Structure formats: C-alpha cells, structure tokens
Amino acid sequence: MAQTRIADVGRLAWFPASRRTKWLVVVFWVLVLAAAFGPSSRLPDVLNNEAVAWLPEDAQSTQVVRQIEAFRSKNEFPAVIVYERPGGLTPADMETVGAHAAEFGAIEEVRTDVIGPIPSQDGEALQVIVPVDAGEEGWDSLGATVGDLRAVAQDRPVGLSMHVTGPVGLAADSSEAFAGIDGKLLYSAMGVVIVILLLTYRSPVLWLVPVVSAGTALFVAQGVIYFLARDDTLTVNAQSSGILTVIVFGAGTDYALLLVARYREELRRHEDRHEAMAFALHRAGPAIVASGATVIAGMLCLLVATMNSTKGLGPVAAIGVAVGLLVMLTLLPAILVVCGRWIFWPVRPSYGSNDHTRDGLWARIGARIARAPRRTWVVTSVLLAVASLGVLQLNATGLENKDSFYNTPESVVGEEVLAKHFPAGAGSPVLVLANAGVAGEVRTTLEGVDGVDSVAEPVTRGERALLQATLADAPDSDAATDSIDRIRDAIADLPGADAIAGGDTATRADTLRAAADDNVRIIPLILVVVLLILVLLLRAITAPLILIGTVVLSFGAALGISSLLFRHVFGFAGADSSLPLFVFVFLVALGIDYNIFLMTRVHEEAKEIGTRRGALVGLAATGGVITSAGLVLAGTFAVLATLPLVAFAEIGIAVALGVLLDTLVVRSVLVTALNLDVRGRMWWPSALARRDAELDAATPATREETEPAATLEAAH
C-alpha cells in the first residue's frame, strides 16, 4: 500500500512527510541552522558600501573614483564644517575656528591637509573643509568620524553655531538612518507576520511553524551570502541586506500559507496525516516551485542592470528566495507532520469534516462575479487604467538631500547655512581628471562654463592632473546636473585632454541616467521571463498573455495611486530614480505568485470539471489563502517605512499597495472574471481547450455558475 501511495504522489513529496524521513529533515535543518548562525551574524562585517559598489560601472563618475587614487584615497570625502554668527563674526570666533581646524587635522581619518577657515563675503560665516578617509568600511565608518569632529568643535564661543555637512555629513546621517536596519526590519517583519498569521489561522500555536521556518530560511540565506560576500563573489550593501529580510519573510510566509491551506484540505480527505501532507506537497508543490522559480528568475534579471547597487540586489534576493523555497518545501511540512493535527487547535481539520470554502466569502464572491463576468472584468480594467493615470504625478528624477529624510538632519541644516553664505557648491566640487600637459587649457575651459563659480589650481601626479571646480548651484540640484553636462561637453572637445568629470554632482547625474536606462532594459526582460514561465507551467499561450496584461495593469494602478499619495498625502518632493524598477520587480516577481496559485488550481480543476466551474472552485479554495498571503507580503514591505528615509518608505508603500490591489482586486476579481468569460480558450492551444469546450457544452450554466456550494460538492 505504501508503495502505491509513493507512486501516486512521487518520492519527493513523500520524503519530508513520511514517518521516518520527517525526522531526518528536521535534524538536517537544525544542523544547517547551527552552522549558519555564526556567519549570518557576521554579514554586516562584509557589506560593501564603498562608492564604487553603488555607481554605474562604466560611468565617468565611477572612472574618476578609480583613477583618483593617484592623487588621494578613492574613499576620501570632504566634510564641510560651517560656522555661523548672524550679525558678524568676532575675532574670538576666528581664533577659535582656526584652532579647531588644526585639531581636525590630528584626527586619525584625516590624512591630507585641512582647508580653511574660509570666511564668507558677508562676514557672518566660516567654512572648514576636512578631507576624511572612510577606508574600506565605506560610509559606515563616517558616523564615528563626524562625532569626533563635533567633539572638537564643542568648545566654541556662545552664539557661534556649527554644522557638519558636505558628503561626509550627509553620509553620516544616512548611516545613522540605516543603523540597526537588519534588526529593525527583522523584528518589524516578524511582528507583522505573527499578527496576520494569528488572524488567519485563529490558532495560538500554528503561527509558530511558518515563523520558525521563515527565520531559519533567513539565517541560512544570510550565512550563504556572507561566505559569497567575504570571498568577493557577491557584492552586498546595506540596501540589499535590508531588502533580503523583507523578501525572505514575505515570500517564505506566502509559500507556507499556500502549503498549510492545501494540507488542511487534504487532512479532511485523508485519515493519515503523513499521507495528507504527501498529497498536499504533490498538488501544491508545483505551484510553489513555479512561484519561487519566477521570483528567482525575475530577481536575476537585475544582473543586467548598469547600476552596481541594483545589480548586486538581484543575486542576493534570488538566494534568499531559493533558500526560503527549499525550507518551506522540506522543513515546514516535516514540522507539521511531526506535530500532528493538534497544531491547528482549536479548529482541527478532522477526517471527513466539511470544507469551509464551500460556502465561504470567496465562494459567494465567485458566484456574484459569475452572473456578469464580462461586465466585471471590463469595469475593473477601466478603473485600474484610470488609477494608472496617477503615474503622471510621479516625479522619479531623484531626491535632493533635503528631501531624502523624514526629518531635517544636521547635514541638511548645514547645507542651507552654507548656501546662504557661500557658493552653493562649496565643499562638493566637481572632480576633473585630465592629461597634465593640457591642464591649464582645461582649467580655462572650466572657468568659462556656465554654472561654474571657481576652479582651483590643478594638481599634477605623473601624466594626469586633478582640477576641482566649485559650482554656483547646490550639488544635488537639477541646475548642478545641467552644469555637469555642460562641463563634460566642454572638456570632451579639448584635443589631447582625455578629460573626465566626477564628484557628487556627477554621480547623481550618472545615477539618474543609469536608472532610466535600467528601467527600459530590465522591465521588458522580466515580462518576457515571467511569460515564458507561465507558458511552461500552464501549457498554454492565451492564459499567460492575459495574465501578463493583468500584471502590467496592476503595476500601473499601484504606481499611479502611490504617486498621488506621495505628492498629496505624504508631501514627498519626488521619488528616487530607481523606484519604478524596484516596484515593478517586487510586484511582478512576487505578485505573480498569486496568479500562479490561482491559475494552477483552476487548471487542475478544469481537467475534471471544466474551466467555468474550475474558476469558481479555484477562487473559493485559494481566495482566502491568497488574501492572507497578500496581507503578509504587504505588511512586510510596509515595514520599510519604519526607516527615516523617503526612498525606502516609497518602495514599501508602493509595493504594499500594489500587493493589496493584486490580491483583493486583480487576482480574485479580474482574473476570475476573465476565466469565466474566456473559459476553455484560456488553455489554447493545449488539448485541454478542446476538452473544456466539450465539458462546457454538456454542463448547464445557470446552476453551476450561481451555486458555489453545489459546484464544489460536484468537484470533490
């Protein structure tokens, strides 16, 4: 008998579910978790937050970072300390700041000469430029250095204010915002998952199993990524490390919800819980694997990005999802069968009991949709298309420093003080590298470029020269970006100069263009990859094309509504240039899960009872779990808004909103209505399309489309 059951469902489905091997699976993952715990805790030690780890690989700003080592460390950035006394500086102020400048030079991370104090023309401010070497730790180390600078400047005359700004000040504030990001996101995501699982399962103990499994997946994934990052096989930064936590918990819990829901169904049909789990894995496993494969493939599409930070996120997220998939298909079922039916207490699914989905909410919704499926999908599509028009309000051209934080950190205040008394670009010069033989001509050319306030004397090292140009506009402004374009055009025309321009403003310009280029390249690629996976999974062409259309509509509506919220509710000044791509990747790669969950069940049922009834059975059986999964994923992404950074908040809000639209409207209403209207043609050109037409012709429409309980009873 056991052999017959194995043959029915396959050995892989039986392995984590059988009476003996379930213990092997649990022991295996305990050992793996013990081995990974140490390396996972050391992941922050190998994060690469150097500038090159974020920049476009072939951009001029990246080339400057690489070539500037002949003149100074590539990790050297200026800290601009600005002092202000409204009404005019005093001699005591001048003397104090001069002493501070000397002490700044004695700080360990300051390895080249301090510049200043430089008085403003109005006599109310002084600036001191302190070159700080961030070392191999990147901007993570700058917070401590800024603390040392503030400690030195603490002793000053009453009424003389001081602010640390410039690239170092801004990096220190960003580092503080990212401080403890892994812990914050982990505990926030875990809290959201626990609350939703408690509401979903209405059990005081069942929620522990998915949470323990997701936690295991996260620690193991972090351990794997640590070794790859340590050996420089993979580049991991604070951004990808933080998003890894959200993706593993969100996607992993989604897979757990789907499997547990199918296991609950099978427990009502099989007296032996081991047999029930084997059948649950056999029937839900392909959908879960297909969902995970889609997410992994979508994330790996990021490898073609020009932005190094975006390129690095792809494999990090793919590893997290792959480990989560493996854990949820092995450890989770093993723990469930070890625990037995009591884990569902107080509502245990006993053998032969009725399935609540037969007369549940989604069965009733399906019956209502079935009365007018064409009108339902047309109206829903029009409403989503109208919501998509909100994209016209999206200003994804990058955020200025003052708009990047919820609050107003000291570096932003310092920028405002600096701009009031000095050229706005002071402290963040444009770095121009050129051949030494024509350095004088390059300087003359730079001085004639509109938007350039001044150019320092060139510094020569061997055959190359470094020139620093101060801009008249704030370094993070659109006007400064335009000045960079003019500078590059001007120096490109100089014969024999071989000149390139970098620095903070150039980095912003290159990042904006790279992000726009990535949007055009990666979004279509992901659509093609997802389409191919759906074609292979459903063995059809019509259904995948329709589903891709709903994906695009869902993305457009989510981004459109989010754009309106950003501008008119939250008051954000704009959006990060990478927002559209990240939202698309997460919504499509993760949101396609719900398409797969629903359509694989409809496909399974259509083989027996036809697409019309199969659509109603599929919605009734998966509507609840898809809703719960959507709430989990939306909640985990929403925790990104707990960071005091506008760019992360926008990603979290847009993805959370998109997932909710996906689960509550697109998958459950729009796709179901399309299934009911298109019917067997969904599976064209497979044989199921022809067979479905025969089933449809032989089945009375009225009763089956309007009585979900009867439909489900007939199906099982």
Side-chain angles (χ1 to χ4, degrees):
M1 183 65 178
Q3 291 301 319
T4 303
R5 291 171 183 166
I6 291 174
D8 287 344
V9 299
R11 293 180 181 275
L12 286 177
W14 267 99
F15 186 77
S18 73
R19 298 179 184 278
R20 294 182 181 179
T21 53
K22 64 185 179 185
W23 295 106
L24 293 178
V25 172
V26 172
V27 171
F28 169 79
W29 281 112
V30 168
L31 295 175
V32 170
L33 180 60
F37 195 81
S40 71
S41 65
R42 295 196 295 273
L43 181 59
D45 299 337
V46 295
L47 298 183
N48 185 354
N49 290 312
E50 293 184 12
V52 176
W54 295 75
L55 298 177
E57 190 67 33
D58 58 351
Q60 281 196 34
S61 52
T62 309
Q63 296 175 39
V64 168
V65 171
R66 297 189 188 283
Q67 295 182 25
I68 206 167
E69 287 189 274
F71 300 87
R72 67 186 198 197
S73 168
K74 67 178 181 180
N75 293 313
E76 182 180 290
F77 307 99
V80 181
I81 294 90
V82 58
Y83 298 81
E84 181 189 35
R85 182 184 291 277
L89 297 164
T90 67
D93 294 339
M94 299 290 292
E95 182 180 351
T96 298
V97 175
H100 288 173
E103 291 185 61
F104 292 151
I107 294 175
E108 182 181 355
E109 290 78 14
V110 180
R111 291 167 188 163
T112 53
D113 294 339
V114 173
I115 302 171
I118 304 170
S120 62
Q121 289 186 353
D122 60 13
E124 294 184 346
L126 293 165
Q127 69 166 316
V128 179
I129 301 175
V130 182
V132 176
D133 191 338
E136 295 301 320
E137 295 182 26
W139 52 265
D140 276 346
S141 67
L142 294 176
T145 305
V146 168
D148 293 339
L149 294 171
R150 289 172 181 157
V152 168
Q154 186 175 4
D155 183 16
R156 60 183 185 275
V158 176
L160 181 67
S161 64
M162 185 278 296
H163 306 282
V164 180
T165 185
V168 168
L170 289 164
D173 287 335
S174 296
S175 178
E176 183 179 351
F178 274 103
I181 179 175
D182 291 335
K184 290 178 184 176
L185 292 179
L186 173 61
Y187 296 125
S188 299
M190 189 181 297
V192 168
V193 168
I194 289 172
V195 169
I196 295 174
L197 289 180
L198 280 169
L199 294 174
T200 300
Y201 292 140
R202 295 187 293 278
S203 167
V205 289
L206 180 57
W207 62 271
L208 275 167
V209 182
V211 169
V212 168
S213 300
T216 300
L218 178 62
F219 284 121
V220 173
Q222 288 175 333
V224 172
I225 292 168
Y226 164 78
F227 287 113
L228 294 174
R230 186 194 64 179
D231 298 336
D232 293 327
T233 304
L234 199 62
T235 299
V236 188
N237 55 33
Q239 174 181 272
S240 53
S241 175
I243 290 177
L244 172 70
T245 301
V246 173
I247 285 182
V248 172
F249 255 90
T253 308
D254 273 8
Y255 304 146
L257 282 163
L258 181 67
L259 181 61
V260 172
R262 195 60 189 253
Y263 177 48
R264 192 197 296 264
E265 280 188 57
E266 299 299 335
L267 283 172
R268 292 187 170 95
R269 300 172 189 161
H270 302 273
E271 190 171 3
D272 181 3
R273 68 179 188 273
H274 302 87
E275 183 178 321
M277 178 57 76
F279 274 90
L281 281 169
H282 176 68
R283 288 169 175 158
I288 296 175
V289 171
S291 299
T294 304
V295 178
I296 292 169
M299 294 301 171
L300 291 179
C301 288
L302 295 179
L303 286 171
V304 305
T306 53
M307 284 287 293
N308 281 341
S309 56
T310 304
K311 183 185 297 184
L313 173 62
V316 169
I319 290 171
V321 173
V323 174
L325 186 64
L326 189 59
V327 168
M328 295 306 169
L329 289 176
T330 55
L331 178 61
L332 174 70
I335 294 177
L336 286 171
V337 291
V338 165
C339 293
R341 294 177 190 261
W342 69 264
I343 198 73
F344 290 93
W345 183 86
V347 185
R348 290 185 291 181
S350 57
Y351 175 59
S353 61
N354 292 328
D355 190 343
H356 69 282
T357 62
R358 297 185 180 186
D359 56 357
L361 172 64
W362 289 106
R364 295 193 296 273
I365 291 175
R368 184 173 293 273
I369 294 171
R371 295 172 189 167
R374 182 165 302 176
R375 183 173 61 193
T376 300
W377 73 256
V378 168
V379 171
T380 304
S381 299
V382 169
L383 291 175
L384 291 172
V386 170
S388 300
L389 296 176
V391 172
L392 299 174
Q393 296 278 304
L394 182 65
N395 180 27
T397 56
L399 292 163
E400 295 186 12
N401 296 329
K402 63 184 178 64
D403 301 319
S404 298
F405 300 87
Y406 286 168
N407 52 10
T408 306
E410 182 189 353
S411 58
V412 172
V413 176
E415 269 192 342
E416 295 171 350
V417 172
L418 195 67
K420 187 164 61 174
H421 301 287
F422 296 92
S428 296
V430 178
L431 307 177
V432 177
L433 290 172
N435 290 332
V438 293
E441 297 175 42
V442 173
R443 184 187 184 194
T444 301
T445 300
L446 289 172
E447 289 174 334
V449 173
D450 185 27
V452 174
D453 183 80
S454 61
V455 183
E457 288 284 344
V459 177
T460 302
R461 295 284 188 275
E463 298 181 354
R464 296 288 276 174
L466 170 65
L467 300 95
Q468 301 191 52
T470 299
L471 299 178
D473 301 296
D476 59 343
S477 65
D478 291 339
T481 300
D482 293 338
S483 297
I484 286 292
D485 292 337
R486 290 191 291 270
I487 286 173
R488 286 175 170 170
D489 289 341
I491 61 180
D493 294 336
L494 291 175
D498 192 20
I500 53 176
D504 288 342
T505 305
T507 296
R508 181 176 185 270
D510 291 338
T511 298
L512 289 172
R513 293 189 179 100
D517 184 54
D518 286 343
N519 290 343
V520 173
R521 179 190 299 114
I522 297 175
I523 287 177
L525 177 62
I526 292 175
L527 284 176
V528 170
V529 168
V530 170
L531 177 63
L532 291 175
I533 291 176
L534 289 174
V535 168
L536 292 174
L537 178 66
L538 300 176
R539 299 177 181 85
I541 295 177
T542 304
L545 288 173
I546 288 176
L547 294 178
I548 287 295
T550 66
V551 162
V552 173
L553 199 56
S554 175
F555 165 69
L559 200 58
I561 297 173
S562 298
S563 303
L564 297 174
L565 291 175
F566 295 160
R567 174 165 292 194
H568 301 293
V569 177
F570 298 106
F572 297 151
D576 191 78
S577 54
S578 60
L579 175 72
L581 176 60
F582 282 168
V583 173
F584 184 85
V585 169
F586 295 135
L587 277 185
V588 174
L590 293 171
I592 202 69
D593 284 1
Y594 310 125
N595 258 329
I596 291 173
F597 293 170
L598 175 61
M599 292 304 291
T600 52
R601 185 59 181 264
V602 173
H603 188 265
E604 176 187 333
E605 301 293 345
K607 295 176 183 177
E608 304 296 330
I609 58 176
T611 303
R612 187 179 67 250
R613 288 189 294 165
L616 297 175
V617 172
L619 176 63
T622 65
V625 68
I626 287 177
T627 302
S628 300
L631 290 174
V632 167
L633 193 59
T636 51
F637 266 93
V639 302
L640 289 174
T642 62
L643 300 175
L645 296 167
V646 171
F648 272 78
E650 289 177 334
I651 292 174
I653 292 168
V655 174
L657 177 62
V659 168
L660 291 177
L661 273 176
D662 223 33
T663 54
L664 299 176
V665 179
V666 177
R667 300 297 155 255
S668 304
V669 177
L670 179 59
V671 173
T672 296
L674 285 164
N675 277 328
L676 290 168
D677 191 21
V678 180
R679 300 186 182 181
R681 295 187 297 276
M682 272 286 190
W683 317 117
W684 183 86
S686 70
L688 180 58
R690 297 185 295 274
R691 184 169 178 271
D692 185 87
E694 297 171 1
L695 286 170
D696 190 42
T699 304
T702 304
R703 180 171 181 269
E704 301 300 341
E705 290 185 4
T706 58
E707 296 184 22
T711 298
L712 287 162
E713 187 68 42
H716 299 296

